[in-house]
Amino acid sequence: MNTSLSWIKRYVPDLDVTAAEYADAMTLSGTKVEGYTELDKNLDKIVVGQVLTCEPHPNSDHLHICTVNVGAEEPLQIVCGAPNVAAGQKVPVVLVGGKVCGTHSGGSSEEGITITKGALRGVESYGMICSIDELGSSSEFYPEAPSDGIYVFPEDTEVGADAIGLLGMHDAIIEYEITSNRVDCYSVIGIAREAAATFGKEFHPPVIKETGNDEDIKDYASVEVKDTELCPRFSARVVKNVKIGPSPQWMQRCLASNGIRPINNVVDITNYIMEEYGQPMHSYDYDLIAGHKIVVRRAEDGEQFVTLDGQEHTLDHDMLMICDAEKPVGIAGVMGGENSMITDACTTVLFEAANFNGTNVRLTSKRLGHQTDASQKFDKGLDPNTTLDALNRACELMEEFGAGEAVGGCIDVYPVKREPVEVPFEPDKINEQLGINVPEEQMIAYFEKEDLIYDAERRVVIVPTFRQDLLRTCDLAEEVARFYGYDNIPSTLPKGSATAGGISFDMRIRNMACSVAEECGFSQGYCYSFESPKVFDKLCFAADAPERKAIEIRNPLGPDFSIMRTTSLNGMLTSLAVNYNRRNKDVRLYEMGNVYIAESLPLDKLPDERMKLTLGMFGNGDFFDLKGTIELFFEKIGMRKRPEYDSAEVRPYYHPGRQAQIRYEGISVGEIGEIHPVVMKNYGLGERTYVAVLDIANILKFASFDWKYQGIARYPAVTRDLSMLVSKDITNAQIQKIIEQRGGKILEECTLFDLYEGAQVRPGYKSMAYSLRFRDKERTLNDADIQSAMKKILNGLTGLGIELRK
């Protein structure tokens, strides 16, 4: 949103501040100023001069030697190369020592060009006659200026007057960043109201004079709204005896300051109202409206329509159209049609000011790929109570400019009127929320500056409909804070049981996971949360697998990003495949990210967002390296019991005999395995690939950073080795579980230190050797203690069919 400072001062006439002061104060009061541009920057000592004589230059076929009266005792001799310069003209003249915009060898666009006296082709020149471009603007915003030549003032312009002031350039263009909830500030009036409240000045909104002859508009036109949900209000008036011509220069300057090119009086008025009130309007050639009837309806699927810019659009049933008795004449909230546009032959105009559903306008403009100034305002959700003021203001300006005669009356279809909101006034609660002590009377004074009405009897603040952001007490507290001054609110510590900073427990666990992964050579990666449904086939999931019940994105970027992921494997395998195809030999990656599990589809509540730690690797390393990384992580977060690895539950994306579910105290906390060859082929991986996925939510139940100090052992340890012949279908986990259960309290550690399969071991068996360490904390163990423990262990192992090696 842009405004000129001079336009703001039309409604706040006592506002006497510089652009810098204005920008600072408005930003502190909540209307953030992104920046400003001073139009007269680098413009100095520029006055109105009258060309007395204009003779050809003797040494040039395009230069002229002019004598120019600038209000001084003696006229100046100025050499000018403009093709349109002529005697008698009133023109802008830069005096010696003055500045203009532009670049040349002696200046820059940042500093401007300083004009000095000099000689052009042997003739002295004491100044410069300017074009509008050299003054920092263009003929687009000054239509009376020639595109190639000097600017010429009207004949009655005073010689020696300030040329920059006459052109309206002692001004600044202010650029704002308006939040979407402050719809009222998408208008100059809204910004001016904020400026008046900020600087404590009187706000003077436009006073609209009554217009209209003795005729009745109902004899001219009628309006039918078929969808009041998408069009809550539609207002229309008729102006006859229209004379198309240029709008006044003051209006052209206002429009130019907002980046709008002046066209003609009718179009300029609708654009001016759109910026002034924030209410888009549209004007139709009344004689081109079939049946002189307006019908607001939904478009038909496949219906074709050509807009004012000559583009043809294909419409659908979700788009709202403005039609006459026979055909569409405009896309509601976006743009009017070529078939009813205002031309120089127009003699009667139908003005429309309507309120359209903001969401529908936004979706329509997006589907058509056609965003306009009007649609950008409508899609914020405008106040329907503004339409009639905007319409009457347009008719007033038409009569003020002598551009037409307003027909009496107005057509106003407004079935459900929007009423002001009433918010309870609770000054004590407001002060408590802000941590200040503002008197009640001062709060009420702040509200009155913003046109909020305080009802003392009912203790409520009546919020006008243009302030759609004020709905509850906390919103009123924000208004008090804005005008009290955020910089005046003292700093206080947050209330609570503690004020010490720190990170949450689950974040500490995640940080530890990342730290352990990086310590073990893994590099962190980030994967998309949006995926394609095709990933389930690549991962070989069954047709009824629960992972396939994914949440579909309503408005996806494309089919490859159309669902929320239910597994983190696809992202990891894709990243590993990219590295493999780039010929990286040893790759270890990890990702900490969410998967999204819906309880039911379609969604009736938010999904379960489960944080997963995913580890993937190929190259130098195997299943046991990955397993070691997981167990190191468990140890670091206080999970001191040995995790169990259960291979009974088979996952389709893992190698059938090289996978396991990781359980801790009977709860599944993750999975680990070698990727199935078919899945590897689907992803283009040519080396054995290992992946582990840990469920952080389940791990949090067992994690702890509470470490207990244990002193150095006072008594010696006793070690024993066991070498056994074990059937291949018996796992290390089964053996260790028996040893730990039967070893009792004196068993301090059990470690597998040798595993052998080969010719020296009979078929179907493997040789496994364990080292057992025993220690008692209270005394020195004797041989009987060790023999008793070993006997229990051997009895348990014999039950599994295990034989001791001799």
Side-chain angles (χ1 to χ4, degrees):
M1 175 70 188
N2 293 352
T3 70
S4 65
L5 192 54
S6 62
W7 200 346
I8 297 297
K9 290 179 179 179
R10 284 178 171 269
Y11 313 117
V12 193
D14 297 333
L15 187 62
D16 185 18
V17 293
T18 65
E21 293 169 340
Y22 176 87
D24 290 343
M26 292 293 282
T27 298
L28 286 174
S29 68
T31 308
K32 184 181 179 184
V33 174
E34 283 286 286
Y36 60 88
T37 302
E38 296 175 310
L39 298 182
D40 57 359
K41 182 182 179 182
N42 300 330
L43 300 178
D44 187 29
K45 298 177 70 174
I46 303 176
V47 299
V48 176
Q50 183 173 20
V51 181
L52 303 178
T53 63
C54 180
E55 303 294 337
H57 194 294
N59 300 321
S60 173
D61 58 356
H62 70 280
L63 295 177
H64 300 83
I65 302 173
C66 304
T67 56
V68 183
N69 176 18
V70 293
E73 294 181 1
E74 298 291 335
L76 301 178
Q77 177 175 286
I78 298 176
V79 178
C80 178
N84 65 326
V85 65
Q89 292 175 336
K90 302 283 183 71
V91 294
V93 177
V94 189
L95 304 178
V96 172
K99 286 184 178 182
V100 291
C101 298
T103 59
H104 78 328
S105 59
S108 71
S109 58
E110 290 295 323
E111 301 173 356
I113 299 174
T114 300
I115 303 302
T116 59
K117 65 180 180 179
L120 293 176
R121 299 284 182 94
V123 177
E124 294 291 330
S125 181
Y126 300 89
M128 175 181 175
I129 303 175
C130 302
S131 67
I132 198 67
D133 295 313
E134 289 160 334
L135 297 178
S137 189
S138 70
S139 57
E140 182 179 13
F141 299 116
Y142 288 82
E144 72 277 12
S147 58
D148 183 20
I150 59 172
Y151 184 86
V152 180
F153 287 104
E155 294 181 1
D156 59 351
T157 307
E158 179 186 354
V159 173
D162 178 9
I164 300 305
L166 292 173
L167 290 169
M169 289 186 177
H170 287 313
D171 201 357
I173 307 302
I174 314 295
E175 180 186 356
Y176 308 88
E177 180 186 329
I178 307 298
T179 54
S180 57
N181 66 328
R182 288 303 305 272
V183 181
D184 58 303
C185 287
Y186 284 94
S187 67
V188 180
I189 287 178
I191 296 289
R193 186 184 291 108
E194 287 290 307
T198 298
F199 291 97
K201 304 295 183 181
E202 288 292 325
F203 173 57
H204 298 272
V207 178
I208 302 173
K209 299 176 183 177
E210 186 176 345
T211 57
N213 57 22
D214 295 333
E215 297 177 281
D216 188 350
I217 189 175
K218 294 180 181 177
D219 297 331
Y220 279 79
S222 62
V223 173
E224 179 185 3
V225 178
K226 293 187 175 182
D227 194 323
T228 55
E229 182 181 349
L230 298 185
C231 179
R233 189 176 191 182
F234 193 100
S235 307
R237 290 194 68 178
V238 171
V239 177
K240 67 177 188 177
N241 301 324
V242 172
K243 301 178 182 66
I244 302 295
S247 56
Q249 285 198 357
W250 68 264
M251 179 173 281
Q252 293 185 24
R253 302 293 182 261
C254 287
L255 293 176
S257 70
N258 277 33
I260 299 175
R261 179 173 59 88
I263 298 175
N264 59 48
N265 48 10
V266 175
V267 176
D268 289 356
I269 284 173
T270 59
N271 286 334
Y272 181 83
I273 299 298
M274 178 175 68
E275 297 302 310
E276 185 179 43
Y277 281 87
Q279 171 63 54
M281 290 184 59
H282 192 69
S283 53
Y284 301 94
D285 188 331
Y286 172 81
D287 295 324
L288 299 179
I289 302 296
H292 299 156
K293 179 179 182 180
I294 293 293
V295 179
V296 184
R297 62 166 175 82
R298 289 178 180 264
E300 297 176 3
D301 291 330
E303 189 171 2
Q304 301 291 316
F305 182 70
V306 179
T307 48
L308 278 170
D309 56 1
Q311 294 189 35
E312 184 175 9
H313 300 278
T314 302
L315 312 176
D316 61 52
H317 182 69
D318 292 328
M319 300 176 183
L320 192 68
M321 298 298 296
I322 311 298
C323 307
D324 60 19
E326 299 174 356
K327 62 186 180 302
V329 294
I331 303 174
V334 181
M335 185 175 280
E338 194 176 47
N339 53 13
S340 60
M341 64 186 295
I342 301 296
T343 64
D344 292 343
C346 177
T347 59
T348 306
V349 170
L350 175 71
F351 280 119
E352 161 222 311
N355 184 263
F356 302 113
N357 180 280
T359 302
N360 181 261
V361 172
R362 182 173 65 254
L363 294 175
T364 297
S365 63
K366 185 176 181 180
R367 284 201 297 272
L368 295 178
H370 206 85
Q371 192 175 60
T372 61
D373 290 338
S375 69
Q376 287 179 317
K377 291 186 184 296
F378 273 123
D379 66 24
K380 306 294 187 300
L382 300 182
D383 175 18
N385 291 328
T386 308
T387 62
L388 204 54
D389 286 343
L391 199 61
N392 292 334
R393 175 74 162 146
C395 292
E396 176 194 27
L397 291 173
M398 286 290 287
E399 292 194 348
E400 181 183 320
F401 298 166
E405 177 187 355
V407 173
C410 170
I411 298 174
D412 189 21
V413 181
Y414 194 14
V416 180
K417 184 178 180 181
R418 180 179 293 179
E419 300 293 343
V421 174
E422 295 184 354
V423 180
F425 179 51
E426 302 171 287
D428 292 339
K429 187 174 181 180
I430 290 174
N431 278 326
E432 182 183 359
Q433 288 177 340
L434 299 178
I436 56 180
N437 187 22
V438 178
E440 181 177 323
E441 296 75 16
Q442 188 175 346
M443 293 185 188
I444 295 171
Y446 291 152
F447 298 152
E448 290 175 346
K449 289 195 301 183
E450 300 182 89
D451 291 344
L452 309 182
I453 302 170
Y454 174 61
D455 187 330
E457 292 185 5
R458 295 187 296 141
R459 299 282 288 176
V460 296
V461 176
I462 301 173
V463 181
T465 53
F466 63 78
R467 285 301 300 271
Q468 301 178 37
D469 60 310
L470 302 182
L471 301 173
R472 49 189 68 86
T473 301
C474 61
D475 298 327
L476 295 181
E478 183 180 3
E479 299 305 293
V480 172
R482 290 201 300 132
F483 295 110
Y484 179 77
Y486 292 113
D487 52 332
N488 295 324
I489 298 176
S491 299
T492 58
L493 288 172
K495 293 181 180 180
S497 58
T499 56
I503 60 175
S504 63
F505 178 72
D506 62 334
M507 186 59 72
R508 291 177 66 191
I509 297 298
R510 294 184 207 175
N511 290 348
M512 181 59 72
C514 296
S515 177
V516 169
E518 290 165 8
E519 181 183 337
C520 294
F522 290 80
S523 299
Q524 187 170 13
Y526 291 94
C527 302
Y528 291 113
S529 293
F530 299 164
E531 292 186 332
S532 167
K534 297 177 183 177
V535 303
F536 301 121
D537 294 329
K538 292 179 70 176
L539 292 168
C540 297
F541 277 110
D544 59 348
E547 288 83 359
R548 289 184 180 268
K549 297 177 181 178
I551 302 165
E552 294 185 3
I553 308 300
R554 183 173 295 176
N555 188 23
L557 298 173
D560 289 340
F561 303 94
S562 61
I563 61 170
M564 302 294 289
R565 68 177 184 175
T566 56
T567 174
S568 59
L569 285 170
N570 175 66
M572 177 57 66
L573 293 178
T574 301
S575 299
L576 291 173
V578 169
N579 280 273
Y580 176 78
N581 291 317
R582 298 296 187 276
R583 299 183 184 277
N584 292 331
K585 296 185 181 301
D586 298 309
V587 177
R588 297 188 178 197
L589 299 176
Y590 79 92
E591 183 208 7
M592 184 72 72
N594 284 331
V595 296
Y596 305 85
I597 310 299
E599 185 175 311
S600 61
L601 293 175
L603 284 177
D604 54 6
K605 63 179 182 180
L606 292 175
D608 181 13
E609 299 184 27
R610 299 192 72 84
M611 181 63 64
K612 301 284 187 177
L613 170 64
T614 308
L615 302 163
M617 58 184 285
F618 66 79
N620 186 17
D622 57 17
F623 180 95
F624 298 102
D625 290 293
L626 193 56
K627 177 172 173 284
T629 301
I630 294 169
E631 292 181 355
L632 177 61
F633 168 53
F634 287 169
E635 180 183 343
K636 291 284 188 181
I637 61 173
M639 296 170 63
R640 299 177 183 87
K641 294 182 180 179
R642 190 185 304 277
E644 298 177 1
Y645 296 88
D646 181 6
S647 60
E649 188 175 345
V650 177
R651 301 289 188 183
Y653 39 82
Y654 287 132
H655 193 291
R658 299 168 189 167
Q659 60 173 295
Q661 291 295 304
I662 307 171
R663 302 188 187 279
Y664 193 86
E665 295 188 3
I667 303 296
S668 175
V669 294
E671 59 186 44
I672 183 173
E674 180 183 329
I675 298 300
H676 196 288
V678 173
V679 176
M680 289 176 57
K681 183 178 180 181
N682 292 340
Y683 281 91
L685 286 161
E687 288 193 36
R688 285 189 172 185
T689 303
Y690 304 92
V691 172
V693 181
L694 300 182
D695 189 332
I696 298 298
N698 284 347
I699 287 173
L700 288 174
K701 302 172 185 177
F702 306 106
S704 173
F705 289 106
D706 297 333
W707 292 87
K708 292 182 180 180
Y709 170 76
Q710 291 184 343
I712 298 174
R714 298 172 57 188
Y715 301 98
V718 178
T719 60
R720 292 287 188 272
D721 290 345
L722 282 176
S723 182
M724 304 173 287
L725 281 178
V726 182
S727 175
K728 286 188 175 181
D729 58 357
I730 297 175
T731 64
N732 171 60
Q734 291 174 286
I735 296 172
Q736 286 198 331
K737 186 175 181 180
I738 290 175
I739 293 174
E740 289 171 356
Q741 286 177 346
R742 292 177 171 264
K745 293 181 180 180
I746 63 172
L747 179 63
E748 188 175 73
E749 186 177 10
C750 171
T751 305
L752 172 68
F753 69 86
D754 184 61
L755 174 65
Y756 175 75
E757 296 181 39
Q760 298 179 11
V761 178
R762 68 174 180 261
Y765 283 80
K766 56 189 174 183
S767 172
M768 302 178 74
Y770 291 84
S771 175
L772 281 62
R773 187 170 68 208
F774 299 91
R775 190 196 309 266
D776 194 308
K777 296 180 181 179
E778 304 296 332
R779 62 185 178 86
T780 301
L781 294 173
N782 55 43
D783 192 57
D785 298 325
I786 303 302
Q787 291 295 337
S788 175
M790 288 296 296
K791 184 176 180 181
K792 292 178 181 179
I793 291 171
L794 292 173
N795 289 339
L797 294 175
T798 304
L800 288 177
I802 294 174
E803 302 175 15
L804 289 180
R805 295 192 66 184
K806 298 179 181 179

